[in-house]
């Protein structure tokens, strides 16, 4: 054992865990006058290996067997299914001796129907609605439940809905509505989720930006998407505009252009050169940490928003959000997602046992498509979204 195993475990046999015992030694005969003798099968209280199959040929040509298994590893129904499958395999290759073993089925017609049809019967009626309508229904159902957790801060569904409604009304006042794009460049925070919902409630589609992404990529997405405005903070906007200006100057120098000529950011597929956007091409910034804006938002109604409030009617076919690809093919490309597709995704939460007492971790970057599933599945189904803090580009492990 020491020669064959690098590390020895007491949880299982060191050399092998499964055994096949072909017992051909025959039975012992014992003839006692006036006594009738018959064998009694006895089993061990503990299995020697994880699983052992004992097979014994009988005098009539049949084979009897016994399956011994570790009950701490396998359920009785599992062991029983193995026996049925083994018997079925033996029957199949006895009647199809020239068939490849891999072509023989281990399951019968009923089990095949169960695996192919029953287990895959996931068809479900998807509501013909929009994300704001689904969220509003959940707010009405559980207004005092905890919607967001960020460190020590907790926000109820009622409060989250009210703050998002105020932001949505501000956007509507700026004539922003369905099929418009609003970029959101915020760190992980309560405000980030408020902004996502606020944009959706206005009817517009959101474009999530990770402030840690390179400035050139962020500037490209802002210009390429034709975003109407950028929801961010003063610090993030200053960093983005400053780095973009530096990138623009450097790119212009490489291309032999002056700063005024760098009016857009694109990838030249022939020369593989990048021309950066200037600060002038960035959309209008909506700074959430601005005191004047905060005061104005506070004056707006927090009542529910309907299509009568929006600049245009919001339908399930309208855009919900944009996600940009990584750009490994040369240039990032925008993937447009409608409310129909988004509702389809978050309506499948029952497959993951998401209920109103669940907590969903916002693990993915807000600019990654998986982030929508995390926050959408939580807030549309009444669960709590736990937003971890990021310290030195690492998720806080205390959540």
């Amino acid at each position: 054992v020491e020669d064959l195993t690098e590390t020895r475990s007491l949880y299982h046999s060191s050399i092998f865990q499964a055994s096949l015992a072909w017992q051909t030694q025959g039975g012992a005969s014992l003839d006692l006058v006036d006594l009738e003798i018959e064998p009694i099968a006895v089993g061990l209280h503990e299995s020697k290996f994880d699983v052992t199959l004992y097979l014994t040929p009988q005098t009539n040509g049949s084979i009897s067997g016994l399956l011994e298994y570790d009950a701490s590893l396998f359920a009785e129904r599992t062991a029983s299914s193995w026996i049925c499958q083994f018997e079925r395999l033996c029957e199949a290759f006895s009647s199809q001796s020239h068939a490849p073993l891999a072509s023989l089925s281990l399951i019968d017609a009923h089990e095949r129907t169960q695996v192919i049809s029953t287990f895959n019967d996931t068809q479900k009626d998807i509501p013909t609605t929009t994300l704001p309508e689904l969220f509003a229904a959940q707010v009405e159902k559980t207004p005092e439940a905890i919607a967001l957790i960020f460190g020590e801060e907790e926000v109820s569904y009622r409060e989250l809905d009210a703050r998002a409604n105020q932001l949505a009304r501000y956007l509507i006042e700026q004539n922003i509505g369905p099929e418009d794009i609003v970029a959101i460049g915020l760190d992980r925070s309560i405000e980030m989720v408020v902004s996502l919902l606020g944009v959706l409630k206005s009817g517009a589609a959101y474009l999530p930006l990770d402030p840690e992404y390179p400035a050139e990529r962020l500037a490209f997405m802002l210009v390429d998407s034709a975003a109407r405005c950028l929801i961010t903070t003063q610090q993030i906007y200053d960093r983005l505009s400053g780095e973009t200006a530096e990138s623009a100057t450097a790119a212009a120098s490489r291309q032999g252009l002056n700063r005024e000529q760098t009016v857009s950011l694109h990838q030249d597929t022939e020369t593989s050169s990048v021309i950066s956007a200037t600060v002038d091409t960035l959309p209008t910034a909506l700074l959430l940490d601005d005191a004047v804006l905060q005061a104005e938002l506070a004056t707006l109604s927090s009542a529910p928003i309907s299509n009568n409030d929006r600049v245009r009617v919001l339908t399930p076919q309208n855009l919900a959000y944009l996600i940009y690809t990584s750009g490994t093919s040369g240039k990032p490309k925008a993937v447009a997602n409608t409310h129909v597709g988004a509702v389809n995704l978050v309506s499948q939460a029952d497959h993951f046992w998401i209920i109103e007492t669940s907590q969903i971790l916002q693990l993915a970057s807000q600019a990654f498509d998986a982030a929508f599933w995390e926050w959408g599945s939580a807030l549309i189904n009444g669960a709590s979204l736990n937003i971890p803090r990021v310290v030195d580009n690492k998720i806080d492990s205390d959540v």
Side-chain angles (χ1 to χ4, degrees), residues 116-271:
I116 295 177
S117 301
T118 306
F119 290 165
N120 289 293
D121 185 13
T122 58
Q123 183 174 350
K124 181 179 180 180
D125 292 332
I126 302 301
T128 305
T129 184
T130 63
L131 291 172
E133 289 173 336
L134 284 180
F135 179 71
Q138 188 59 54
V139 172
E140 184 176 356
K141 184 179 179 181
T142 58
E144 303 307 325
I146 300 302
L148 302 178
I149 301 173
F150 184 62
E152 299 298 322
E153 186 177 0
E154 295 183 347
V155 178
S156 69
Y157 272 84
R158 186 194 302 278
E159 181 184 352
L160 175 59
D161 184 58
R163 292 170 61 177
N165 286 337
Q166 290 176 319
L167 178 59
R169 292 186 186 280
Y170 182 90
L171 294 173
I172 293 172
E173 288 182 355
Q174 312 308 308
N175 202 36
I176 292 175
E179 296 305 299
D180 290 328
I181 306 298
V182 176
I184 301 175
L186 295 170
D187 293 321
R188 293 169 180 266
S189 59
I190 299 294
E191 289 71 24
M192 180 187 72
V193 182
V194 170
S195 299
L196 294 175
L197 287 171
V199 172
L200 289 171
K201 283 173 172 287
S202 74
Y206 70 86
L207 167 63
L209 304 177
D210 189 332
E212 298 300 322
Y213 279 9
E216 289 189 22
R217 176 180 171 87
L218 295 176
F220 168 77
M221 291 190 287
L222 287 169
V223 174
D224 184 71
S225 66
R228 290 283 305 276
C229 74
L230 168 62
I231 300 177
T232 186
T233 63
Q234 185 68 61
Q235 181 182 14
I236 294 174
Y237 184 75
D238 288 344
R239 185 173 76 238
L240 174 62
S241 58
E243 291 179 359
T244 302
E246 293 179 5
S247 299
T249 302
S253 177
R254 291 194 301 269
Q255 299 297 318
L257 305 173
N258 57 44
R259 187 179 185 279
E260 286 68 28
Q261 290 174 295
T262 58
V263 295
S264 65
L265 184 149
H266 65 276
Q267 182 82 19
D268 188 325
T269 56
E270 294 182 358
T271 63

Side-chain angles (χ1 to χ4, degrees), residues 1-8 14-15:
V1 171
E2 291 177 353
D3 290 340
L4 295 176
T5 58
E6 294 182 2
T7 57
R8 190 169 181 177
S14 300
I15 306 301

Side-chain angles (χ1 to χ4, degrees), residues 323-361:
I323 290 290
Y324 273 79
T325 62
S326 61
T328 53
S329 61
K331 182 172 68 173
K333 300 174 181 63
V335 179
N337 299 274
T338 64
H339 285 266
V340 171
V343 169
N344 182 21
L345 180 61
V346 297
S347 297
Q348 306 297 324
D350 54 340
H351 292 308
F352 301 93
W353 300 284
I354 296 177
I355 57 177
E356 293 178 355
T357 57
S358 300
Q359 275 196 35
I360 308 299
L361 184 66

Side-chain angles (χ1 to χ4, degrees), residues 78-154:
T78 302
S80 297
S81 69
W82 289 344
I83 293 174
C84 292
Q85 292 172 8
F86 183 71
E87 290 177 338
R88 197 168 296 119
L89 183 63
C90 291
E91 292 171 356
F93 65 62
S94 65
S95 60
Q96 307 174 50
S97 59
H98 297 292
L101 193 61
S103 68
L104 302 180
S105 177
L106 297 177
I107 58 178
D108 59 21
H110 172 72
E111 291 172 328
R112 182 177 178 82
T113 300
Q114 187 177 34
V115 171
I116 295 177
S117 301
T118 306
F119 290 165
N120 289 293
D121 185 13
T122 58
Q123 183 174 350
K124 181 179 180 180
D125 292 332
I126 302 301
T128 305
T129 184
T130 63
L131 291 172
E133 289 173 336
L134 284 180
F135 179 71
Q138 188 59 54
V139 172
E140 184 176 356
K141 184 179 179 181
T142 58
E144 303 307 325
I146 300 302
L148 302 178
I149 301 173
F150 184 62
E152 299 298 322
E153 186 177 0
E154 295 183 347

